[in-house]
Short mmCIF file of all heavy atoms in Angstrom, two decimals:
data_model
loop_
_atom_site.label_atom_id
_atom_site.label_comp_id
_atom_site.label_asym_id
_atom_site.label_seq_id
_atom_site.Cartn_x
_atom_site.Cartn_y
_atom_site.Cartn_z
N PHE B 49 42.42 -16.17 -33.15
CA PHE B 49 43.73 -16.79 -33.17
C PHE B 49 44.15 -17.15 -31.75
O PHE B 49 43.80 -16.48 -30.79
CB PHE B 49 44.79 -15.82 -33.72
CG PHE B 49 44.59 -15.40 -35.15
CD1 PHE B 49 43.69 -14.38 -35.47
CD2 PHE B 49 45.30 -16.00 -36.18
CE1 PHE B 49 43.51 -13.98 -36.78
CE2 PHE B 49 45.13 -15.60 -37.50
CZ PHE B 49 44.23 -14.59 -37.80
N ASN B 50 44.94 -18.21 -31.66
CA ASN B 50 45.62 -18.54 -30.42
C ASN B 50 47.10 -18.71 -30.74
O ASN B 50 47.45 -19.52 -31.61
CB ASN B 50 45.05 -19.81 -29.79
CG ASN B 50 45.83 -20.23 -28.54
OD1 ASN B 50 46.54 -21.23 -28.54
ND2 ASN B 50 45.69 -19.46 -27.48
N ASN B 51 47.93 -17.94 -30.05
CA ASN B 51 49.38 -17.99 -30.32
C ASN B 51 49.67 -17.87 -31.82
O ASN B 51 50.44 -18.65 -32.39
CB ASN B 51 49.98 -19.27 -29.76
CG ASN B 51 50.01 -19.26 -28.24
OD1 ASN B 51 50.25 -18.23 -27.61
ND2 ASN B 51 49.72 -20.41 -27.64
N ASN B 52 49.01 -16.92 -32.45
CA ASN B 52 49.19 -16.55 -33.86
C ASN B 52 48.59 -17.54 -34.85
O ASN B 52 48.68 -17.34 -36.05
CB ASN B 52 50.67 -16.36 -34.21
CG ASN B 52 51.43 -15.54 -33.18
OD1 ASN B 52 50.83 -14.76 -32.44
ND2 ASN B 52 52.72 -15.73 -33.11
N VAL B 53 47.99 -18.59 -34.38
CA VAL B 53 47.41 -19.61 -35.25
C VAL B 53 45.90 -19.43 -35.32
O VAL B 53 45.24 -19.37 -34.27
CB VAL B 53 47.75 -21.02 -34.74
CG1 VAL B 53 47.08 -22.08 -35.62
CG2 VAL B 53 49.26 -21.24 -34.70
N PRO B 54 45.32 -19.36 -36.52
CA PRO B 54 43.86 -19.25 -36.63
C PRO B 54 43.20 -20.53 -36.13
O PRO B 54 43.56 -21.63 -36.56
CB PRO B 54 43.63 -19.02 -38.12
CG PRO B 54 44.83 -19.58 -38.80
CD PRO B 54 45.97 -19.38 -37.86
N ILE B 55 42.25 -20.38 -35.22
CA ILE B 55 41.58 -21.53 -34.64
C ILE B 55 40.21 -21.76 -35.26
O ILE B 55 39.83 -22.88 -35.55
CB ILE B 55 41.44 -21.37 -33.11
CG1 ILE B 55 42.81 -21.19 -32.46
CG2 ILE B 55 40.72 -22.57 -32.52
CD1 ILE B 55 43.76 -22.36 -32.65
N ASP B 56 39.48 -20.68 -35.45
CA ASP B 56 38.12 -20.79 -35.96
C ASP B 56 37.83 -19.59 -36.85
O ASP B 56 37.79 -18.46 -36.37
CB ASP B 56 37.13 -20.86 -34.80
CG ASP B 56 35.69 -21.07 -35.27
OD1 ASP B 56 35.41 -20.99 -36.49
OD2 ASP B 56 34.82 -21.32 -34.41
N ASP B 57 37.64 -19.84 -38.13
CA ASP B 57 37.31 -18.75 -39.06
C ASP B 57 35.93 -18.94 -39.66
O ASP B 57 35.61 -18.37 -40.70
CB ASP B 57 38.36 -18.63 -40.16
CG ASP B 57 38.39 -19.86 -41.06
OD1 ASP B 57 37.68 -20.85 -40.75
OD2 ASP B 57 39.12 -19.84 -42.07
N SER B 58 35.11 -19.72 -38.99
CA SER B 58 33.78 -20.01 -39.53
C SER B 58 32.88 -18.79 -39.58
O SER B 58 31.87 -18.79 -40.27
CB SER B 58 33.10 -21.12 -38.72
OG SER B 58 32.98 -20.74 -37.37
N GLY B 59 33.25 -17.75 -38.88
CA GLY B 59 32.46 -16.52 -38.91
C GLY B 59 32.82 -15.58 -40.04
O GLY B 59 32.11 -14.59 -40.26
N MET B 60 33.87 -15.87 -40.76
CA MET B 60 34.26 -15.03 -41.89
C MET B 60 33.19 -15.16 -42.96
O MET B 60 32.89 -16.26 -43.43
CB MET B 60 35.62 -15.47 -42.44
CG MET B 60 36.73 -15.32 -41.41
SD MET B 60 37.22 -13.62 -41.18
CE MET B 60 38.68 -13.58 -42.21
N PRO B 61 32.61 -14.03 -43.38
CA PRO B 61 31.43 -14.09 -44.23
C PRO B 61 31.67 -14.73 -45.59
O PRO B 61 30.81 -15.43 -46.09
CB PRO B 61 31.00 -12.63 -44.36
CG PRO B 61 32.18 -11.83 -43.93
CD PRO B 61 32.96 -12.65 -43.01
N GLU B 62 32.79 -14.52 -46.20
CA GLU B 62 33.05 -15.11 -47.51
C GLU B 62 34.53 -14.99 -47.84
O GLU B 62 35.31 -14.43 -47.07
CB GLU B 62 32.18 -14.44 -48.59
CG GLU B 62 32.14 -12.93 -48.50
CD GLU B 62 30.98 -12.36 -49.30
OE1 GLU B 62 31.14 -12.23 -50.53
OE2 GLU B 62 29.94 -12.03 -48.71
N ASP B 63 34.89 -15.54 -49.00
CA ASP B 63 36.30 -15.60 -49.37
C ASP B 63 36.93 -14.23 -49.56
O ASP B 63 38.16 -14.13 -49.60
CB ASP B 63 36.47 -16.41 -50.65
CG ASP B 63 36.13 -17.87 -50.42
OD1 ASP B 63 36.06 -18.27 -49.24
OD2 ASP B 63 35.93 -18.60 -51.40
N ARG B 64 36.15 -13.21 -49.65
CA ARG B 64 36.72 -11.87 -49.81
C ARG B 64 37.42 -11.42 -48.53
O ARG B 64 38.20 -10.48 -48.55
CB ARG B 64 35.62 -10.87 -50.17
CG ARG B 64 34.93 -11.15 -51.50
CD ARG B 64 33.91 -10.07 -51.83
NE ARG B 64 32.82 -10.00 -50.86
CZ ARG B 64 32.68 -9.06 -49.94
NH1 ARG B 64 33.58 -8.08 -49.86
NH2 ARG B 64 31.66 -9.08 -49.11
N PHE B 65 37.11 -12.08 -47.43
CA PHE B 65 37.69 -11.73 -46.14
C PHE B 65 38.84 -12.68 -45.82
O PHE B 65 38.72 -13.90 -45.99
CB PHE B 65 36.65 -11.84 -45.03
CG PHE B 65 35.64 -10.73 -45.02
CD1 PHE B 65 34.68 -10.63 -46.02
CD2 PHE B 65 35.63 -9.80 -43.99
CE1 PHE B 65 33.74 -9.60 -46.00
CE2 PHE B 65 34.70 -8.78 -43.96
CZ PHE B 65 33.75 -8.68 -44.96
N SER B 66 39.94 -12.12 -45.34
CA SER B 66 41.05 -12.94 -44.89
C SER B 66 41.71 -12.25 -43.71
O SER B 66 41.70 -11.03 -43.60
CB SER B 66 42.06 -13.17 -46.01
OG SER B 66 42.64 -11.95 -46.43
N ALA B 67 42.28 -13.05 -42.83
CA ALA B 67 42.96 -12.49 -41.66
C ALA B 67 44.28 -13.22 -41.44
O ALA B 67 44.37 -14.42 -41.69
CB ALA B 67 42.09 -12.60 -40.41
N LYS B 68 45.26 -12.46 -40.98
CA LYS B 68 46.55 -13.03 -40.69
C LYS B 68 47.07 -12.51 -39.37
O LYS B 68 46.68 -11.43 -38.91
CB LYS B 68 47.56 -12.66 -41.80
CG LYS B 68 47.24 -13.25 -43.16
CD LYS B 68 48.29 -12.86 -44.18
CE LYS B 68 47.98 -13.45 -45.55
NZ LYS B 68 49.00 -13.06 -46.56
N MET B 69 47.96 -13.29 -38.79
CA MET B 69 48.64 -12.86 -37.57
C MET B 69 50.09 -13.32 -37.68
O MET B 69 50.44 -14.41 -37.21
CB MET B 69 47.96 -13.42 -36.33
CG MET B 69 48.45 -12.76 -35.06
SD MET B 69 47.39 -13.12 -33.66
CE MET B 69 48.17 -12.07 -32.43
N PRO B 70 50.93 -12.54 -38.33
CA PRO B 70 52.31 -12.95 -38.57
C PRO B 70 53.18 -13.04 -37.33
O PRO B 70 54.16 -13.78 -37.31
CB PRO B 70 52.83 -11.86 -39.52
CG PRO B 70 51.95 -10.68 -39.29
CD PRO B 70 50.61 -11.25 -38.92
N ASN B 71 52.80 -12.31 -36.28
CA ASN B 71 53.53 -12.41 -35.02
C ASN B 71 52.60 -12.05 -33.87
O ASN B 71 51.44 -11.66 -34.10
CB ASN B 71 54.77 -11.51 -35.03
CG ASN B 71 54.42 -10.06 -35.31
OD1 ASN B 71 53.70 -9.43 -34.55
ND2 ASN B 71 54.92 -9.55 -36.43
N ALA B 72 53.09 -12.15 -32.68
CA ALA B 72 52.25 -11.99 -31.50
C ALA B 72 51.76 -10.57 -31.28
O ALA B 72 50.88 -10.33 -30.46
CB ALA B 72 53.00 -12.45 -30.25
N SER B 73 52.32 -9.61 -32.01
CA SER B 73 51.96 -8.22 -31.76
C SER B 73 51.25 -7.56 -32.93
O SER B 73 51.07 -6.33 -32.93
CB SER B 73 53.22 -7.42 -31.41
OG SER B 73 54.15 -7.47 -32.46
N PHE B 74 50.80 -8.34 -33.90
CA PHE B 74 50.21 -7.71 -35.07
C PHE B 74 49.27 -8.66 -35.80
O PHE B 74 49.59 -9.83 -36.02
CB PHE B 74 51.32 -7.24 -36.01
CG PHE B 74 50.84 -6.50 -37.22
CD1 PHE B 74 50.24 -5.26 -37.10
CD2 PHE B 74 50.98 -7.04 -38.49
CE1 PHE B 74 49.79 -4.56 -38.21
CE2 PHE B 74 50.54 -6.36 -39.62
CZ PHE B 74 49.95 -5.11 -39.48
N SER B 75 48.12 -8.12 -36.20
CA SER B 75 47.18 -8.90 -37.00
C SER B 75 46.53 -7.97 -38.01
O SER B 75 46.38 -6.76 -37.77
CB SER B 75 46.11 -9.53 -36.11
OG SER B 75 45.15 -10.22 -36.88
N THR B 76 46.13 -8.55 -39.14
CA THR B 76 45.42 -7.79 -40.16
C THR B 76 44.16 -8.52 -40.57
O THR B 76 44.09 -9.75 -40.55
CB THR B 76 46.28 -7.57 -41.41
OG1 THR B 76 46.64 -8.84 -41.95
CG2 THR B 76 47.52 -6.76 -41.10
N LEU B 77 43.17 -7.73 -40.93
CA LEU B 77 41.94 -8.24 -41.53
C LEU B 77 41.81 -7.54 -42.88
O LEU B 77 41.78 -6.32 -42.94
CB LEU B 77 40.72 -7.92 -40.66
CG LEU B 77 39.36 -8.36 -41.20
CD1 LEU B 77 39.26 -9.88 -41.26
CD2 LEU B 77 38.23 -7.80 -40.33
N LYS B 78 41.76 -8.34 -43.93
CA LYS B 78 41.74 -7.78 -45.27
C LYS B 78 40.44 -8.13 -45.98
O LYS B 78 39.93 -9.26 -45.86
CB LYS B 78 42.93 -8.31 -46.08
CG LYS B 78 43.08 -7.72 -47.46
CD LYS B 78 44.34 -8.25 -48.14
CE LYS B 78 45.59 -7.78 -47.43
NZ LYS B 78 46.83 -8.18 -48.16
N ILE B 79 39.91 -7.16 -46.70
CA ILE B 79 38.72 -7.38 -47.50
C ILE B 79 39.07 -7.02 -48.94
O ILE B 79 39.48 -5.90 -49.23
CB ILE B 79 37.53 -6.51 -47.04
CG1 ILE B 79 37.30 -6.68 -45.53
CG2 ILE B 79 36.27 -6.88 -47.81
CD1 ILE B 79 36.26 -5.73 -44.96
N GLN B 80 38.94 -7.98 -49.83
CA GLN B 80 39.31 -7.76 -51.22
C GLN B 80 38.47 -8.65 -52.13
O GLN B 80 38.61 -9.88 -52.06
CB GLN B 80 40.80 -8.05 -51.43
CG GLN B 80 41.26 -8.18 -52.88
CD GLN B 80 41.08 -6.91 -53.68
OE1 GLN B 80 40.98 -5.82 -53.13
NE2 GLN B 80 41.05 -7.05 -55.00
#
Side-chain angles (χ1 to χ4, degrees):
Chain B
F49 296 82
N50 175 250
N51 290 322
N52 315 337
V53 177
I55 302 299
D56 184 350
D57 65 354
S58 59
M60 297 285 261
E62 45 197 279
D63 293 344
R64 297 183 297 106
F65 286 70
S66 63
K68 295 181 180 179
M69 193 166 185
N71 57 62
S73 59
F74 183 67
S75 177
T76 60
L77 178 66
K78 184 176 294 185
I79 308 173
Q80 166 63 21

